[in-house]
Amino acid sequence: MKKKVLTVALAALLTFGALSAPALAGAEDVVVENAWSRASIGMNRPGAAYMTIRNTGDEPVTLVGLATPLAKMPEIHETKTNAGGVSSMSPAVEIAIAPGESVALEPGGLHAMLMRLQEPMTEGDTFPLTLLFEDGGEVTVEVPILGVAARGPED
Ligand SMILES: [Cu+2]
């Protein structure tokens, strides 16, 4: 009986999808702006990348992971500073972005941590970074590598 309900629901979903194509919401509605990163000193320290992720759709989207040929272990991290002024980073498992909202990855907050760099990050180069969303969608951005002392996308 449970199976039958599921089948009906699936049929309804497929019909809806066919009728409303190509306007399915989700990762397709994600716009990434102002991506940037800093040049690295060698490859022993991880790199970091920053950007604004905007959900222009009508459905919430959830960022669940990252992929890039530049680093073997790219992770979303969050920097937090405690009452004593001590900063620490921890992995942010998933980041939900409500419809019409945006999330900023910026120094001192959320960031894309690029661990186990496969090559040095050289000023003037770019690298592709793919954002993986819960609905299976992906958005790839080309991230410019700025100077070692850059503090924002305009530096
Ligand atoms: Cu980090």
Side-chain angles (χ1 to χ4, degrees), residues 94 126 155:
E94 41 181 55
T126 66
D155 284 352

PDB file of all heavy atoms in Angstrom, residues 94 126 155:
ATOM      1  N   GLU A  94      26.149  21.973   5.928  1.00  0.00           N
ATOM      2  CA  GLU A  94      25.335  22.429   4.820  1.00  0.00           C
ATOM      3  C   GLU A  94      24.865  23.850   5.071  1.00  0.00           C
ATOM      4  O   GLU A  94      24.697  24.273   6.203  1.00  0.00           O
ATOM      5  CB  GLU A  94      24.158  21.499   4.553  1.00  0.00           C
ATOM      6  CG  GLU A  94      23.462  20.991   5.787  1.00  0.00           C
ATOM      7  CD  GLU A  94      22.330  20.048   5.396  1.00  0.00           C
ATOM      8  OE1 GLU A  94      22.596  19.056   4.667  1.00  0.00           O
ATOM      9  OE2 GLU A  94      21.209  20.323   5.796  1.00  0.00           O
ATOM     10  N   THR A 126      43.326  31.641 -12.618  1.00  0.00           N
ATOM     11  CA  THR A 126      41.983  31.338 -12.104  1.00  0.00           C
ATOM     12  C   THR A 126      41.885  29.821 -11.950  1.00  0.00           C
ATOM     13  O   THR A 126      42.716  29.082 -12.479  1.00  0.00           O
ATOM     14  CB  THR A 126      40.864  31.791 -13.074  1.00  0.00           C
ATOM     15  OG1 THR A 126      40.948  31.008 -14.271  1.00  0.00           O
ATOM     16  CG2 THR A 126      40.975  33.271 -13.418  1.00  0.00           C
ATOM     17  N   ASP A 155      40.476  43.936  -4.758  1.00  0.00           N
ATOM     18  CA  ASP A 155      41.927  44.161  -4.550  1.00  0.00           C
ATOM     19  C   ASP A 155      42.759  43.620  -5.700  1.00  0.00           C
ATOM     20  O   ASP A 155      42.381  42.677  -6.348  1.00  0.00           O
ATOM     21  CB  ASP A 155      42.379  43.506  -3.241  1.00  0.00           C
ATOM     22  CG  ASP A 155      41.931  44.324  -2.026  1.00  0.00           C
ATOM     23  OD1 ASP A 155      41.430  45.446  -2.242  1.00  0.00           O
ATOM     24  OD2 ASP A 155      42.092  43.836  -0.904  1.00  0.00           O
TER      25      ASP A 155
END
